[in-house]
C-alpha cells in the first residue's frame, strides 16, 4: 500500500523537481521566454543569474553562483535524519524528495549546472520581464543565495524554489506558479456549476452509503460553502 501511495504521489507532483520526464510545463503567457541554454554551457551564465529548468508539472529555479555552481531549493528529508555532509550532498533521490515534501523539509543546496538541469534546457533570467521589481546586482543576488544555503522549511505553495530565487534576485519572495494555481482555484470556486455538482455527488453518496452525519454534513456544508464563496 505504501509503495502504491509513493508511486502515485511521485507521478502527481514530484515529477516536477528531479530526474523524471522533461517536457515543458505550464507556459506563462505574460512574459517572453528567452531561448533555453544547453546545460553544458556554464560559461554563458553570469554570477547572480536566475536559471529556470522546465519540468513535467512545474519549473525548477536556481541562482547561478559562478564556477559552474547553482544554488537551488529542493525538498529533502535527509538533512533531518543525518548530519553526514557527504550523504546529503549526493543527488537527491525521488524517495528523499517525496519524504521531504510530506515532512515539509527542504535544503538550499549548491550543485553543478549539469546536476541542477539534469539534461534539460535552461532559461536565463526569463522571469525579469514578469516581475515588477528590477533585479538586484548580480553580486548581491549571489550573496543572498549563498547566505541561505542549508536546511529550510518547505511548502509546495508558500515556500518553494521560486520563492527562494525571487527573494534573492528581486528582494521579495513570490511564486508566479502559486499565483497561477490560486487564480485557477478561485475561478473553480466561483463557477456556480460546481455547487450543483458537489450537491449531486453528495446526494449520490447518501443514496449509496445511507443517510448519516458523515454523509449528510458534507452534502450540506460543501455546496453551501461553495455557494457563499462564489
Amino acid at each position: 500500500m505504501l509503495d502504491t501511495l509513493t508511486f502515485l504521489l511521485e507521478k502527481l507532483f514530484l515529477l516536477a523537481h528531479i530526474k523524471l520526464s522533461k517536457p515543458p510545463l505550464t507556459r506563462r503567457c505574460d512574459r517572453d521566454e528567452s531561448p533555453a541554454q544547453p546545460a553544458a554551457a556554464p560559461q554563458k551564465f553570469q554570477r547572480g543569474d536566475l536559471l529556470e529548468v522546465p519540468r513535467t508539472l512545474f519549473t525548477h529555479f536556481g541562482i547561478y553562483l559562478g564556477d559552474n555552481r547553482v544554488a537551488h531549493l529542493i525538498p529533502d528529508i535527509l538533512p533531518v535524519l543525518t548530519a553526514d555532509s557527504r550523504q546529503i550532498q549526493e543527488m537527491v533521490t525521488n524517495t528523499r524528495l517525496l519524504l521531504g515534501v510530506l515532512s515539509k523539509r527542504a535544503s538550499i543546496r549548491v550543485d553543478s549546472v549539469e546536476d541542477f538541469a539534469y539534461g534539460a534546457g535552461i532559461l536565463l533570467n526569463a522571469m525579469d520581464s514578469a516581475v515588477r521589481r528590477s533585479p538586484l546586482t548580480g553580486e548581491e543576488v549571489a550573496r543572498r543565495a549563498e547566505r541561505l544555503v542549508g536546511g529550510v522549511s518547505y511548502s509546495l505553495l508558500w515556500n518553494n524554489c521560486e520563492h527562494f530565487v525571487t527573494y534573492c534576485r528581486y528582494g521579495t519572495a513570490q511564486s508566479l506558479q502559486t499565483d497561477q494555481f490560486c487564480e485557477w482555484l478561485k475561478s473553480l470556486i466561483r463557477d456556480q456549476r460546481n455547487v450543483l455538482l458537489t450537491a449531486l455527488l453528495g446526494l449520490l453518496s447518501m443514496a449509496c452509503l445511507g443517510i448519516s452525519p458523515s454523509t449528510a454534513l458534507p452534502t450540506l456544508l460543501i455546496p453551501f460553502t461553495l455557494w457563499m464563496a462564489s
Side-chain angles (χ1 to χ4, degrees):
M1 182 66 180
L2 180 60
D3 291 341
T4 302
L5 176 61
T6 300
F7 175 79
L8 291 174
L9 286 174
E10 286 178 354
K11 292 300 181 183
L12 284 174
F13 58 87
L14 298 182
L15 298 176
H17 296 280
I18 195 170
K19 288 190 178 181
L20 299 173
S21 63
K22 309 166 208 161
L25 63 281
T26 15
R27 294 295 181 185
R28 302 191 187 104
C29 60
D30 56 347
R31 67 169 171 82
D32 296 327
E33 292 182 340
S34 58
Q37 300 286 344
Q43 69 276 5
K44 294 186 179 180
F45 304 134
Q46 301 295 320
R47 182 167 162 84
D49 280 345
L50 192 159
L51 310 184
E52 300 184 26
V53 178
R55 300 297 192 193
T56 303
L57 302 177
F58 302 95
T59 297
H60 191 50
F61 299 86
I63 297 294
Y64 186 69
L65 302 179
D67 299 325
N68 199 36
R69 299 175 301 132
V70 181
H72 59 122
L73 186 154
I74 186 168
D76 187 7
I77 190 62
L78 197 57
V80 179
L81 305 178
T82 180
D84 189 336
S85 58
R86 290 182 299 177
Q87 291 186 41
I88 293 173
Q89 195 54 37
E90 292 176 357
M91 180 69 73
V92 178
T93 64
N94 289 332
T95 300
R96 282 171 60 179
L97 189 143
L98 170 64
L99 294 176
V101 170
L102 296 178
S103 63
K104 296 189 175 183
R105 300 304 303 172
S107 288
I108 296 173
R109 51 185 284 148
V110 178
D111 287 308
S112 68
V113 171
E114 293 77 16
D115 287 343
F116 166 75
Y118 204 76
I122 295 175
L123 299 175
L124 177 62
N125 297 326
M127 196 182 291
D128 286 357
S129 60
V131 176
R132 294 180 180 179
R133 289 175 176 263
S134 299
L136 303 172
T137 65
E139 185 60 29
E140 174 62 20
V141 173
R143 287 180 179 177
R144 280 176 171 240
E146 289 167 339
R147 286 196 296 264
L148 293 174
V149 169
V152 296
S153 61
Y154 178 78
S155 169
L156 191 64
L157 292 180
W158 314 120
N159 189 37
N160 58 41
C161 60
E162 193 171 7
H163 291 97
F164 163 65
V165 298
T166 51
Y167 167 78
C168 293
R169 188 164 176 83
Y170 310 108
T172 182
Q174 68 178 108
S175 172
L176 301 180
Q177 294 177 114
T178 296
D179 293 344
Q180 288 180 343
F181 173 78
C182 290
E183 285 299 319
W184 171 81
L185 188 60
K186 188 187 300 182
S187 66
L188 191 66
I189 292 174
R190 285 177 174 173
D191 190 341
Q192 295 183 357
R193 290 174 297 181
N194 292 318
V195 177
L196 298 176
L197 178 61
T198 54
L200 178 61
L201 291 175
L203 292 174
L204 288 175
S205 69
M206 292 173 63
C208 295
L209 303 175
I211 300 177
S212 67
S214 62
T215 57
L217 285 177
T219 300
L220 295 173
L221 290 179
I222 294 177
F224 176 76
T225 302
L226 291 174
W227 174 260
M228 296 303 296
S230 65

